[in-house]
Amino acid sequence: MKPDLFEAPDYYNIDDLLTEEHKLIRDAARSWVKRDVSPIIEEAAQEAKFPKSIIPGLAEIGAFGPYIPEQYGGAGLDQISYGLIMQEIERGDSGVRSTASVQSSLVMYPIWKYGNEEQRNKYLPKLASGEWMGSFGLTEPDHGSNPGGMVTNFKDKGDHYLLNGAKMWISNSPFCDVAVVWAKNEEGRIHGLIVERGMEGFTTPETHNKWSLRASATGELIFQDVKVPKENLLPNKSGLGAPLGCLDSARYGIAWGVIGAAMDCYDTALRYSKERIQFGKPIGQFQLQQKKLAEMITEITKAQLLCLRLGQLKNENKATSAQISMAKRNNVDMALKIARDARQMLGGMGISGEYSIMRHMMNLESVVTYEGTHDIHLLITGLDVTGLNAFK
Ligand SMILES: Cc1cc2nc3c(=O)[nH]c(=O)nc-3n(C[C@H](O)[C@H](O)[C@H](O)COP(=O)(O)OP(=O)(O)OC[C@H]3O[C@@H](n4cnc5c(N)ncnc54)[C@H](O)[C@@H]3O)c2cc1C
């Protein structure tokens, strides 16, 4: 792969709206990605292997639980810092950002918000340091966009719960130490359970043959009469709103993260357009290529402003789920379109692993699907503005 020459675009001087702390945190993550992710990520993606060697580095830049209080090992940062860290990591690779998102928003967040003090103290510090890695089991083979239909269930057996069912498309599953699993009790109410590797009847087979997020490990979570201790049930929230609360936090991180992927594609295409000569001119001098670049930087700038405002609302606890949906949908679509245009601008080189664009493009095909598909987020916005529910 080519050396990482990335220079972040900031067309509207958005840096002026960030605090010194935001910029320090962002720049630390940016340097780490350049030093520790860029040199290894293409090979990891080609080999379809999650590069476990980067786990301590992710912990060091605060990517595991950026907004979790320091007393539990988190970084205790605000929501804009969280977003900026996700942006920088996804600039390197969406798969690496997925690992961090799952750990922070889908594993640490529910333990912090819905767990009790013993659970927080037992799990959060180890998850923040990367000593333990987590996964989040919501999606099932027959229930993706409609997780409320899940069939994974647990029964009260007196001194323990008996868990049965299967989850699929689970990021981090093949190597996770703990899984936050959503299952129905005998009354059909959804609860979160913390399942630990080593519990009898719990297996995590890997899913192979992915063309997307190849540097992220994906798999199943299978439960066959797993005895889960009663103290592993998350006591403070139940119902579908519990997993959806986690998804709000993760979707917010995605809205920022994909700006990173888009910036990397834009920056690569811009540099290439000045160096590549055809018909005696740099291709960047042709109007058709300028149109692509001009539209890319416009869309990136709009996405940056959208996220910054959403981050301010999140910091004030005012961001609604529907506002987060809009940002996730808009920004992923923006990044995917930029990746496709940038890939074309590199001609044949655009499909080569020498450059990051094709990897970003393939990764974003998962990002546009997980955590609520593009269509589902449109329906959420539609419901929010009309008050009419298209899901029913
Ligand atoms: C790489 C990867 C990693 C993932 N990681 C995780 C994870 O860590 N944990 C986890 O729980 N899940 C994870 N997922 C699962 C992901 O969240 C689901 O794939 C996603 O929610 C969509 O579900 P589905 O694949 O079953 O698609 P479906 O729900 O079957 O949807 C198929 C199509 O139908 C459309 N559709 C569905 N319902 C409607 C409707 N009412 N109106 C209009 N259109 C509709 C969808 O938009 C989509 O285009 C991951 C997925 C991938 C690909």
Side-chain angles (χ1 to χ4, degrees):
M1 199 176 149
K2 297 268 183 207
D4 184 352
L5 303 173
F6 176 68
E7 284 175 48
D10 181 13
Y11 202 71
Y12 264 35
N13 302 340
I14 292 168
D15 262 21
D16 293 350
L17 303 175
L18 302 177
T19 64
E20 286 310 309
E21 192 190 24
H22 289 146
K23 284 185 266 191
L24 275 174
I25 289 159
R26 192 261 324 267
D27 292 349
R30 187 169 289 169
S31 305
W32 176 75
V33 168
K34 260 199 186 183
R35 196 191 63 218
D36 287 2
V37 178
S38 298
I40 58 145
I41 196 63
E42 183 61 32
E43 198 178 318
Q46 294 277 357
E47 289 179 0
K49 283 211 171 80
F50 170 68
K52 283 192 184 167
S53 60
I54 63 172
I55 288 176
L58 280 166
E60 231 165 79
I61 61 164
F64 295 154
Y67 52 82
I68 301 285
E70 286 171 292
Q71 70 179 109
Y72 302 118
L77 301 171
D78 76 342
Q79 291 290 320
I80 292 174
S81 304
Y82 163 44
L84 288 166
I85 294 172
M86 294 300 120
Q87 171 187 286
E88 295 308 315
I89 298 175
E90 192 145 2
R91 207 280 296 172
D93 189 79
S94 307
V96 178
R97 199 268 308 137
S98 300
T99 293
S101 286
V102 169
Q103 184 89 343
S104 297
S105 289
L106 301 181
V107 181
M108 296 177 75
Y109 177 88
I111 294 173
W112 174 45
K113 282 282 175 190
Y114 314 146
N116 57 32
E117 203 53 20
E118 290 78 52
Q119 292 168 336
R120 290 185 197 119
N121 287 325
K122 177 175 176 189
Y123 296 103
L124 293 179
K126 287 198 165 74
L127 290 163
S129 69
E131 186 182 338
W132 283 352
M133 294 300 293
S135 69
F136 172 89
L138 182 64
T139 305
E140 297 187 353
D142 293 328
H143 300 93
S145 299
N146 175 26
M150 69 175 66
V151 293
T152 298
N153 65 86
F154 62 98
K155 292 190 168 63
D156 191 333
K157 293 290 177 184
D159 64 340
H160 64 269
Y161 297 118
L162 201 64
L163 178 65
N164 277 289
K167 302 286 178 179
M168 80 178 291
W169 291 119
I170 306 304
S171 304
N172 299 356
S173 109
F175 59 79
C176 70
D177 302 286
V178 294
V180 170
V181 177
W182 300 94
K184 284 182 177 164
N185 67 9
E186 282 141 296
E187 286 79 50
R189 181 111 187 130
I190 295 171
H191 287 266
L193 297 159
I194 306 171
V195 179
E196 297 181 21
R197 185 169 295 281
M199 288 181 178
E200 214 179 314
F202 173 42
T203 50
T204 61
E206 184 158 1
T207 302
H208 296 287
N209 293 329
K210 289 182 300 168
W211 284 114
S212 176
L213 289 192
R214 288 173 62 81
S216 159
T218 314
E220 296 167 62
L221 302 173
I222 297 174
F223 316 102
Q224 285 174 319
D225 287 334
V226 180
K227 285 183 182 173
V228 181
K230 285 204 149 169
E231 65 262 24
N232 284 28
L233 182 114
L234 297 174
N236 294 332
K237 187 152 174 144
S238 64
L240 191 58
L244 294 185
C246 307
L247 293 177
D248 267 357
S249 176
R251 288 165 179 171
Y252 167 76
I254 292 172
W256 279 93
V258 292
I259 296 174
M263 290 198 305
D264 198 46
C265 293
Y266 165 77
D267 181 60
T268 305
L270 178 62
R271 190 169 302 109
Y272 193 85
S273 77
K274 294 181 197 167
E275 290 166 359
R276 177 69 176 166
I277 309 290
Q278 288 295 290
F279 299 96
K281 292 179 189 172
I283 59 165
Q285 204 171 329
F286 297 118
Q287 288 183 0
L288 284 174
Q289 306 312 318
Q290 288 191 3
K291 177 176 187 289
K292 292 192 183 89
L293 291 166
E295 286 175 353
M296 284 181 205
I297 190 62
T298 307
E299 291 307 315
I300 288 171
T301 305
K302 283 154 67 179
Q304 287 169 327
L305 290 167
L306 189 65
C307 271
L308 188 66
R309 177 61 188 143
L310 190 61
Q312 291 167 344
L313 290 171
K314 283 272 283 170
N315 277 342
E316 294 164 11
N317 276 325
K318 286 188 195 155
T320 65
S321 301
Q323 286 170 331
I324 295 169
S325 265
M326 180 188 278
K328 192 269 184 184
R329 179 173 185 274
N330 180 78
N331 288 10
V332 179
D333 191 52
M334 169 284 298
L336 200 42
K337 284 182 178 146
I338 286 178
R340 287 172 183 153
D341 275 352
R343 199 220 61 68
Q344 288 192 52
M345 284 188 66
L346 267 68
M349 289 312 290
I351 68 145
S352 160
E354 287 291 297
Y355 294 90
S356 55
I357 297 176
M358 186 83 177
R359 180 167 43 80
H360 283 307
M361 195 178 102
M362 295 196 301
N363 282 341
L364 290 163
E365 290 292 345
S366 285
V367 183
V368 76
T369 290
Y370 71 21
E371 309 262 357
T373 68
H374 190 67
D375 294 335
I376 292 296
H377 287 297
L378 178 136
L379 296 180
I380 292 172
T381 306
L383 167 61
D384 198 48
V385 297
T386 63
L388 304 171
N389 192 342
F391 292 101
K392 287 182 184 162

